[in-house]
Each structure stands twice: as structure tokens, then as C-alpha cells.
Amino acid sequence: MKVTLARVDERLIHGQVMTAWCKKCWIKTIILVDKEIAQDEFMISVLEMSAPAGVKVIVKSPSDAVALLANDSSDDSTLLLFKDINNVDELVKHGYPLKELNIGNVGSSSIRKPITREVYVSQQEKEILRNLSQSGVNVYIQKLPGDNSVDIMTKI
């Protein structure tokens, strides 16, 4: 599979934002990387029905996603989608050579502080993002394809 976009968006597969990215990047497959959702058959069914027409959805844990990506040689444009930053960290720790990471939406919580209107991060998530950036991953914030991208390091 040809990973065209890796994106963190806690809203997962939803409406106009996801449709815009799928069109822009010619996405044929979405691999949702999340160890909890990978065990929830009902949620998997909901996500499969939520995908834009013609887009296949696969839900895998980080370790299973690495294995799938390593063994699939198709040229399908693929979106790696993450509900949270921790699953990105696990994917990389399992050996996936991530090159870029788009941060779209990470909501607020009692331990997260805002870095933009749509992105809130905890101290632990900041550390993960710093480590990714320092290891050569281009980590940027960009809600929609037409928006300007912002280097995450300018915000954390």
C-alpha cells in the first residue's frame, strides 16, 4: 500500500473534512490504527459505513498495521488514520517508518492544553510529537487540504 497521508483526527471518518482529504489524496483505503477500536466489531461496522463511496476501511492495532503495511505491495493510495497520538507512537515503536504526520483535530480534556483552536495536547503527547519531529518526521497541523500547514514545533 502506498501511504499517501497519515492523520490524527479524533473524529475519525466523518463528513466533509474526510471527504476533502480522500478526494485530494485519491484515497482508496483507510487504515484506522487503534488498538481499542480494532477489538470493537460494532464500531468497525459503523466506520465502514461512514467511509466515502469506493473507499475501503481496515481497522488494525498498531502492531497489526505494521505487519499489514509491510506485506502489502499494492499501489492503492492509503490514509493512515489515528484517533490519538499514542497510537502513532506505538506504530512507530513497532517499526513503521513514518515520514509525515498531519494533525487535524485532537479535542480538549482535563490533561490537554490548546495549541490551536482544534488541537489540544497533553505533556505526554507533546513529548511524543517532539520525539517524532526530532527523528525526522514532518509533523504539521492542517485541518483541510486548502489550509496552510503549520509546523507542530512552532506550537509546542
Side-chain angles (χ1 to χ4, degrees):
M1 291 181 184
K2 181 178 132 196
V3 175
T4 307
L5 178 66
R7 178 176 169 88
V8 176
D9 192 329
E10 73 174 12
R11 299 166 299 181
L12 300 175
I13 301 170
H14 66 286
Q16 293 176 334
V17 173
M18 187 56 58
T19 299
W21 282 108
C22 285
K23 284 182 181 178
K24 162 95 168 100
C25 299
W26 299 88
I27 299 298
K28 296 295 178 202
T29 304
I30 297 171
I31 299 175
L32 172 58
V33 182
D34 190 287
K35 61 184 171 187
E36 290 177 17
I37 296 174
Q39 299 173 22
D40 186 339
E41 291 300 322
F42 174 75
M43 192 63 186
I44 291 170
S45 295
V46 170
L47 291 163
E48 289 171 341
M49 290 185 287
S50 301
V55 176
K56 179 171 133 183
V57 175
I58 300 169
V59 182
K60 296 287 185 186
S61 69
S63 60
D64 290 344
V66 170
L68 172 67
L69 290 162
N71 294 314
D72 188 310
S73 60
S74 73
D75 280 338
D76 284 352
S77 288
T78 301
L79 164 63
L80 291 182
L81 181 61
F82 304 88
K83 185 174 183 177
D84 61 49
I85 294 164
N86 292 322
N87 278 294
V88 176
D89 190 40
E90 281 199 43
L91 184 84
V92 171
K93 285 180 177 173
H94 282 289
Y96 183 74
L98 188 66
K99 292 178 177 43
E100 290 192 340
L101 180 64
N102 170 293
I103 308 292
N105 184 284
V106 180
S108 66
S109 76
S110 61
I111 61 170
R112 289 181 175 152
K113 304 287 184 218
I115 60 172
T116 70
R117 282 191 5 236
E118 289 91 13
V119 179
Y120 293 70
V121 292
S122 68
Q123 282 304 120
Q124 177 195 13
E125 291 165 332
K126 280 184 183 181
E127 194 61 34
I128 291 168
L129 294 168
R130 279 189 195 103
N131 289 340
L132 288 170
S133 184
Q134 289 169 355
S135 69
V137 178
N138 176 24
V139 184
Y140 61 96
I141 300 168
Q142 186 176 10
K143 182 179 177 181
L144 293 165
D147 295 343
N148 291 326
S149 66
V150 176
D151 183 339
I152 193 80
M153 295 307 289
T154 65
K155 297 294 184 179
I156 61 173

